[in-house]
Amino acid sequence: MSEESGHAPAPRELIGLPYDALEAAVIELDEPKFRAKQLWHWLYHRGATDFAEMSSLSKTFREKLAQHAVVSRPGVSSHHVSTDGTQKWLLRFADGNEAEMVFIPEEDRGTLCVSSQVGCTLTCSFCHTGTQRLVRNLSAGEVLGQIMLARDTLGEWPSPKEGRRLTNIVMMGMGEPLYNYDNVATALKIATDSHGLAFSRRRITLSTSGVVPMMQRCGEEIGVNLAVSLHATDDETRNELVPLNKKYPLKDLLEACRTYPGVHNARRITFEYVMIDGVNDSLEEAERLAELLRDIPAKINLIPFNPWPGTKYECSSWEAIEAFSDRLAELGYSAPVRTPRGRDINAACGQLKSDSQKKRRSQILKEQREQAAAPAST
Ligand code: SAH
Ligand code: SF4
């Protein structure tokens, strides 16, 4: 907030500043350091976005804030509610870039799926986000702002102690969170601060495609649950599905899981496994999966592949998914199948960033196939 000659500096975004940076900002405004605590309370416990509301702050401090700072939320390009209650937002950030966020209500919880990047630098062959060319990291404020926007929509300010609808956060939207580590870490540390949004670390899960060198740090510094997008049981198949595997092969990935901080204190790692017809869904692979995870406290999540326009893959048959899950159960793993949610609004895993063209195009292809298969009329 320092003055440059002749120009008033742009107001500074306060959301996403770590506590010590907020203190420094308060000191720059010639206010005593302890005022940062009050400001923090308004920002993260009360969810205030207008300085005028912050009644415990002096009038002069509020005026200085209004002049030099802003508190914002991501803009919303569109917001849809699915027939199953799932909500999807297309967010629009200040520079016009967009990313998606999804809220999934269930009986005993409500999970917010948060994006970490616009697009993704990685190119997993089964993921729609991976085909998007435009990529940038979201700032800490943009990651945190998603959670705060969801709280605005759900009417959950001040931070409720009990009876929250938004109970869980998963970093499973667009992007690879461990390739935007610093910003994601800053955002999640603020989200778990007990004087603010007060999410328990146990209710936050970060999903990675396997950025091995960052996993240890993530566990030590952020301390959230880890989900690993495994999807294959041999390097050859995984190289095709998750090309990052060429850099960090299965052996290294599983070793990083074995040593993930806290993993032996009842904090199990979730292994995500997307079920793709004829690619990774044989019973032999179910057995190999159990074998690979033998010495890792693990949960397995089977995700039916969600198709998108132009993909070469198809979802495994229901019988194949059930047989895979049953075999894992025989081997001692409960492997629930994740029911796709919000499919009607393209909010399911891997569908993010798809648009209404999708339905039309797949519909056309289906009709073409049906026509080709129909006997020629005379
Ligand atoms: N980049 C991180 C987090 C975002 S992806 C990661 O890859 O883990 C969130 C989850 O959705 C991952 O498990 C990913 O593998 C899965 N996913 C991506 N595309 C999918 C699709 N088309 N169908 C089903 N799941 C998909
Ligand atoms: Fe990126 Fe995850 Fe999609 Fe892979 S699955 S392209 S890492 S978002």
Side-chain angles (χ1 to χ4, degrees), residues 126-128 171-173 175-177 207-209 229 231 272 274 303-306 308 349-350:
F126 60 92
C127 173
H128 197 198
M171 295 300 306
M172 290 187 189
E176 168 50 58
S207 175
T208 181
S209 56
S229 294
H231 309 318
E272 292 160 286
V274 58
I303 315 173
F305 169 68
N306 281 310
W308 37 273
C349 299

Side-chain angles (χ1 to χ4, degrees), residues 120 122-124 126-127 129-130 173-176 209:
C120 184
L122 300 175
T123 53
C124 301
F126 60 92
C127 173
T129 307
M174 295 168 69
E176 168 50 58
S209 56

Side-chain angles (χ1 to χ4, degrees), residues 56-192:
S56 63
L57 308 182
S58 73
K59 192 151 174 282
T60 45
F61 185 28
R62 277 185 269 155
E63 281 166 3
K64 279 191 263 184
L65 284 167
Q67 217 183 336
H68 297 284
V70 284
V71 177
S72 43
R73 302 283 193 258
V76 177
S77 286
S78 65
H79 176 212
H80 295 281
V81 183
S82 157
T83 46
D84 68 13
T86 301
Q87 303 191 34
K88 182 176 87 166
W89 292 257
L90 180 60
L91 307 173
R92 195 178 166 86
F93 300 103
D95 64 355
N97 271 315
E98 294 182 319
E100 292 191 324
M101 170 173 97
V102 179
F103 177 67
I104 306 147
E106 286 169 282
E107 240 167 62
D108 57 340
R109 69 177 77 180
T111 305
L112 188 71
C113 181
V114 171
S115 290
S116 57
Q117 298 179 311
V118 171
C120 184
T121 44
L122 300 175
T123 53
C124 301
S125 55
F126 60 92
C127 173
H128 197 198
T129 307
T131 64
Q132 207 179 306
R133 281 174 58 210
L134 188 69
V135 178
R136 79 158 167 86
N137 280 337
L138 295 181
S139 66
E142 288 167 336
V143 173
L144 191 61
Q146 295 175 58
I147 305 169
M148 302 185 72
L149 175 71
R151 277 262 181 98
D152 294 346
T153 315
L154 298 169
E156 302 213 307
W157 299 114
S159 284
K161 280 216 162 54
E162 277 163 24
R164 293 180 181 189
R165 287 174 70 196
L166 170 47
T167 56
N168 291 49
I169 295 169
V170 293
M171 295 300 306
M172 290 187 189
M174 295 168 69
E176 168 50 58
L178 294 187
Y179 272 153
N180 183 17
Y181 180 81
D182 290 340
N183 292 342
V184 167
T186 300
L188 294 183
K189 280 183 207 160
I190 297 176
T192 52

Side-chain angles (χ1 to χ4, degrees), residues 166-367:
L166 170 47
T167 56
N168 291 49
I169 295 169
V170 293
M171 295 300 306
M172 290 187 189
M174 295 168 69
E176 168 50 58
L178 294 187
Y179 272 153
N180 183 17
Y181 180 81
D182 290 340
N183 292 342
V184 167
T186 300
L188 294 183
K189 280 183 207 160
I190 297 176
T192 52
D193 183 276
S194 60
H195 299 291
L197 299 176
F199 281 94
S200 152
R201 284 179 178 76
R202 283 176 319 213
R203 289 186 175 270
I204 301 183
T205 301
L206 183 146
S207 175
T208 181
S209 56
V211 186
V212 167
M214 298 308 292
M215 284 165 59
Q216 179 84 16
R217 226 180 124 188
C218 169
E220 271 166 13
E221 293 180 359
I222 324 180
V224 292
N225 300 323
L226 189 71
V228 171
S229 294
L230 196 66
H231 309 318
T233 58
D234 62 89
D235 281 320
E236 198 187 332
T237 312
R238 195 160 191 273
N239 285 348
E240 186 201 318
L241 295 176
V242 186
L244 185 66
N245 192 70
K246 293 180 199 153
K247 205 165 175 188
Y248 308 118
L250 277 172
K251 187 171 155 288
D252 300 353
L253 177 59
L254 294 171
E255 183 54 28
C257 292
R258 267 179 217 110
T259 53
Y260 188 70
V263 78
H264 290 287
N265 297 329
R267 193 208 264 160
R268 288 183 291 167
I269 294 179
T270 303
F271 288 89
E272 292 160 286
Y273 197 96
V274 58
M275 300 293 297
I276 308 178
D277 185 38
V279 174
N280 63 357
D281 61 351
S282 70
L283 291 183
E284 198 193 335
E285 277 155 310
E287 285 158 14
R288 208 155 49 214
L289 179 58
E291 179 59 26
L292 283 180
L293 303 183
R294 204 166 32 97
D295 53 353
I296 304 174
K299 292 188 264 194
I300 302 170
N301 231 327
L302 300 178
I303 315 173
F305 169 68
N306 281 310
W308 37 273
T311 178
K312 58 181 174 184
Y313 300 121
E314 282 180 33
C315 183
S316 306
S317 68
W318 184 246
E319 294 75 42
I321 299 177
E322 263 195 336
F324 197 96
S325 173
D326 289 350
R327 180 57 57 89
L328 284 167
E330 286 162 21
L331 296 168
Y333 285 93
S334 97
V337 181
R338 194 191 290 168
T339 347
R341 296 287 305 265
R343 262 190 172 166
D344 56 331
I345 55 166
N346 287 339
C349 299
Q351 288 190 313
L352 299 189
K353 202 64 185 170
S354 48
D355 57 23
S356 55
Q357 262 185 354
K358 176 181 180 261
K359 271 183 205 136
R360 288 205 297 276
R361 183 153 162 215
S362 60
Q363 188 63 33
I364 291 164
L365 288 175
K366 186 168 162 253
E367 283 165 13

